[in-house]
Amino acid sequence: MEYDKQVQNRLKRIEGQLKGVLRMVEENDDCRDVVTQLSAVRSAVDRAIGVIVSENLEQCVRESLEKGESTNNLVKDAVSLLVKSR
């Protein structure tokens, strides 16, 4: 699968958030602030997973329909990936 710039930028923002959390830990910042930032990272990762799975599903469904193949397993696999990510 080819990932677009939007997904790459989303992951770079997450990387920046994580580096910020690491800096906070190294500087012994308040635990509530660290946990708040970690929660934001987790939410961002969850959204990234959703975007990646949905874009992949859309692409795979389109390709399967063009080939005249069933899409049932694709949807089941996508749902399984989302459930696994929780």
Side-chain angles (χ1 to χ4, degrees), residues 10-86:
R10 184 182 294 266
L11 293 174
K12 286 178 184 178
R13 279 194 304 276
I14 293 169
E15 179 183 34
Q17 285 179 295
L18 273 175
K19 286 180 180 179
V21 172
L22 181 57
R23 180 193 50 76
M24 292 172 73
V25 169
E26 290 169 346
E27 295 175 358
N28 297 316
D29 283 6
D30 184 74
C31 75
R32 288 173 289 215
D33 295 335
V34 171
V35 170
T36 297
Q37 290 306 310
L38 283 172
S39 293
V41 169
R42 180 175 52 197
S43 293
V45 168
D46 286 343
R47 286 190 304 274
I49 289 169
V51 168
I52 289 170
V53 170
S54 67
E55 287 180 3
N56 182 59
L57 176 62
E58 181 183 346
Q59 181 179 340
C60 290
V61 166
R62 220 178 299 124
E63 290 172 3
S64 290
L65 290 174
E66 288 172 2
K67 296 176 186 175
E69 298 173 347
S70 172
T71 59
N72 290 339
N73 287 338
L74 296 174
V75 173
K76 288 178 186 175
D77 290 345
V79 170
S80 177
L81 280 173
L82 290 174
V83 168
K84 189 184 296 186
S85 71
R86 293 287 170 192

